[in-house]
């Protein structure tokens, strides 16, 4: 499976506060900057900035609701992120298996030359 990695998406997900915000929105449903700031160790203004980053990469979408915006996770974009992570993981698993085979071959050759 060849899935291109979206660096902007992963940069957004790379922040622990933003990952926590996604977790909260998934667990509790739509939320606002105010409601999320009550559950996080950052200000409402910081939460709003994090929400803007997540919205820009499409992981969440905000709908106007009075003076606030209600944000919810875009499940299709989250699924895309999961697919990218799985593809990267599979690539690294294959690389590590190859490194292991090379290391084992070197070890066998070393053992064979010492025994000769």
């Amino acid at each position: 499976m060849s899935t291109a990695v979206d660096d902007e998406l992963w940069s957004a997900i790379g922040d622990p506060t933003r990952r926590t915000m996604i977790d909260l929105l998934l667990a509790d449903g739509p939320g606002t900057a105010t409601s999320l700031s009550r559950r996080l160790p950052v200000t409402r203004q910081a939460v709003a900035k994090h929400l803007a980053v997540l919205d820009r990469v499409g992981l969440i979408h905000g709908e106007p609701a009075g003076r606030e915006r209600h944000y919810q996770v875009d499940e299709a974009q989250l699924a895309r992120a999961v697919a990218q992570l799985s593809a990267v993981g599979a690539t690294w698993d294959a690389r590590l298996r190859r490194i292991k085979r090379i290391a084992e071959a070197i070890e066998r050759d070393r053992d064979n030359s010492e025994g000769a």
Side-chain angles (χ1 to χ4, degrees):
M1 172 181 198
S2 177
T3 302
V5 173
D6 181 338
D7 289 331
E8 188 175 8
L9 174 68
W10 284 100
S11 178
I13 293 174
D15 184 275
T17 300
R18 290 193 282 263
R19 285 193 309 270
T20 300
M21 292 168 69
I22 291 170
D23 288 342
L24 290 170
L25 291 172
L26 286 169
D28 301 339
T32 64
T34 301
S35 67
L36 289 167
S37 69
R38 290 186 199 122
R39 308 221 16 225
L40 295 164
V42 295
T43 65
R44 185 202 174 284
Q45 182 179 8
V47 168
K49 288 180 180 182
H50 284 298
L51 288 169
V53 170
L54 293 170
D55 195 10
R56 187 176 64 244
V57 299
L59 280 168
I60 63 170
H61 294 291
E63 295 291 326
R67 295 177 58 178
E68 294 256 22
R69 291 181 71 77
H70 283 229
Y71 292 91
Q72 63 185 6
V73 174
D74 181 311
E75 293 184 19
Q77 183 71 330
L78 184 60
R80 181 174 163 253
V82 169
Q84 287 180 19
L85 183 58
S86 295
V88 169
T91 299
W92 274 102
D93 286 346
R95 288 176 182 162
L96 291 172
R97 283 191 301 273
R98 184 166 185 252
I99 291 169
K100 181 180 178 190
R101 284 193 306 271
I102 292 168
E104 288 169 343
I106 292 169
E107 187 67 28
R108 277 192 308 274
D109 289 347
R110 185 178 300 144
D111 289 346
N112 290 338
S113 64
E114 288 176 359

